[in-house]
């Protein structure tokens, strides 16, 4: 099917679960042709009969898949109007029993996985009329969170990478947006044992992300209440550290 001729085409990574899956639902409802990637189909199995949805298996950490995944995308569309690079994982550092190899593991999914995904999709974005590249960082980058040495660093790297990429893609007319979600109720956060202020559902998060993407901002952080709370935390870093430090 060459649905790219009739419909807008979007590629979403991390589409089998959580925020990515809710974004797939929203873009299908809007009439997009959705190319959805993850290592497993996960929740996408319920949509597999939908002709507007194509599942493209992809492990973002596997450099050897870059050309083959691009070829698979090209089998379905000559161009991509929008990509949402959302695949991610979270592991925490236990400072009293540290698994330092975890730092590389998280970085390889969240940061190098996103970089690989840009390498996959850039040639297809360049063929669209008004292309838009969207990457998912996190509000975790706004203040230091306990045990988030790997996750926070990977998401800060994503944010900076996208800000630099934005400048370099200006002349190619590709807009670049960085999304910074707060706490969203997904398998990624369901293992958290700490309190998560202003937690929202993945459907609520997807509604906000979709609306923001329409406006093509450089960055979109939500919910604003969490952004404000973390802004205050940043003004009083010692007090924030004392408040949030684990009591061993
Ligand atoms: N939930 C939150 O509170 C929150 C807050 C800020 C930012 N975020 C970010 O939002 C994004 C989505 O997270 P989520 O909360 O929706 O988590 P989730 O439900 O666990 O979904 C993560 C998605 O990433 C995919 N994924 C993981 N490792 C992958 C790999 N190596 N290759 C390809 N796909 C991979 C998973 O699919 P497979 O396992 O099938 O591959 C899944 O579809 C992540 O980047 C996360 O860091 C989440």
């Amino acid at each position: 099917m060459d649905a790219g001729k009739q419909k807008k085409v979007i590629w979403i990574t991390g589409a089998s679960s959580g925020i990515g899956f809710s974004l797939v639902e929203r873009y299908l409802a809007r009439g997009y042709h959705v190319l959805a990637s993850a290592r497993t189909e996960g929740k996408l199995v319920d949509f597999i009969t939908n002709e507007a949805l194509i599942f493209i298996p992809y492990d973002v950490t596997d450099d050897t898949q870059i050309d083959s995944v691009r070829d698979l995308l090209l089998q379905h569309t000559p161009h991509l109007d929008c990509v949402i690079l959302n695949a991610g994982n979270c592991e925490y550092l236990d400072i009293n029993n540290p698994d330092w190899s975890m730092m590389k593991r998280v970085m390889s999914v969240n940061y190098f996985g996103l970089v690989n995904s840009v390498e996959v999709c850039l040639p297809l974005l360049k063929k669209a009329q008004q292309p838009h590249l969207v990457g998912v960082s996190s509000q975790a980058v706004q203040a230091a969170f306990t045990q988030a040495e790997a996750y926070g660093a990977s998401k800060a790297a994503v944010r900076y990478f996208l800000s630099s990429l934005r400048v370099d893609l200006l002349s190619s007319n590709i807009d670049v947006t960085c999304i910074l979600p707060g706490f969203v109720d997904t398998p990624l956060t369901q293992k958290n044992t700490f309190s998560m202020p202003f937690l929202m559902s993945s459907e609520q998060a997807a509604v906000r992300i979709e609306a923001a993407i329409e406006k093509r901002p450089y960055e979109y952080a939500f919910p604003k209440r969490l952004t404000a709370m973390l802004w205050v935390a940043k003004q009083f870093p010692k007090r924030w550290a004392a408040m949030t430090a684990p009591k061993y």
Side-chain angles (χ1 to χ4, degrees):
M1 169 174 44
D2 187 4
K5 277 187 185 150
Q6 302 99 37
K7 300 177 172 212
K8 284 203 169 173
V9 191
I10 187 166
W11 183 41
I12 301 174
T13 70
S16 61
S17 163
I19 297 170
F21 176 73
S22 294
L23 286 166
V24 169
E25 284 185 305
R26 291 207 66 81
Y27 281 95
L28 283 175
R30 281 184 62 182
Y32 273 64
H33 183 51
V34 180
L35 304 170
S37 285
R39 291 168 301 181
T40 61
E41 287 183 356
K43 292 175 83 176
L44 293 168
V45 284
D46 297 339
F47 284 87
I48 226 62
T49 52
N50 189 324
E51 283 194 355
L53 175 71
I54 303 285
F55 175 66
I56 297 189
Y58 174 35
D59 181 341
V60 296
T61 65
D62 185 353
D63 301 356
T64 67
Q65 292 186 14
I66 290 171
D67 290 338
S68 58
V69 170
R70 189 187 305 113
D71 288 345
L72 281 173
L73 292 170
L74 280 165
Q75 282 176 21
H76 299 286
T77 178
H79 73 273
L80 288 167
D81 296 290
C82 184
V83 302
I84 307 180
L85 306 180
N86 161 77
N89 196 6
C90 182
E91 291 185 66
Y92 293 117
L93 187 74
D94 176 356
I95 200 63
N96 293 320
N97 186 20
D99 168 12
W100 292 108
S101 65
M102 179 274 291
M103 300 292 294
K104 283 187 185 155
R105 215 160 44 234
V106 171
M107 211 65 182
S108 89
V109 180
N110 292 356
Y111 177 63
F112 289 109
L114 184 134
V115 175
N116 284 345
S117 305
V118 169
E119 186 176 348
V120 169
C121 69
L122 207 49
L124 281 84
L125 281 172
K126 284 184 173 166
K127 290 188 198 147
Q129 286 194 329
Q130 288 183 298
H132 194 184
L133 189 157
V134 180
V136 178
S137 174
S138 166
Q139 292 239 41
V141 306
Q142 315 268 33
F145 281 85
T146 169
Q147 296 187 302
E149 285 86 349
Y151 184 73
S154 70
K155 292 299 183 180
V158 162
R159 187 189 199 183
Y160 193 92
F161 170 74
L162 292 174
S163 68
S164 188
L165 191 67
R166 179 179 301 124
V167 177
D168 288 326
L169 291 179
L170 255 186
S171 59
S172 304
N173 221 22
I174 300 177
D175 290 322
V176 177
T177 294
C178 180
I179 304 286
L180 296 92
F183 293 109
V184 182
D185 186 11
T186 70
L188 184 141
T189 49
Q190 276 153 15
K191 60 190 174 193
N192 288 348
T193 51
F194 51 84
S195 86
M196 294 183 278
F198 318 122
L199 183 71
M200 69 180 72
S201 69
S202 63
E203 292 84 4
Q204 289 171 318
V207 168
R208 288 167 188 239
I209 293 169
E210 181 200 354
I213 284 175
E214 283 301 290
K215 297 180 190 145
R216 299 184 178 232
Y218 279 5
E219 292 196 342
Y220 173 62
F222 70 97
K224 291 293 168 227
R225 288 173 296 172
L226 183 65
T227 315
M229 191 185 109
L230 297 176
W231 183 86
V232 174
K234 238 182 334 195
Q235 313 313 306
F236 303 99
K238 289 188 176 175
R239 190 171 293 185
W240 172 254
M243 272 170 56
T244 57
K247 315 281 180 275
Y248 294 117

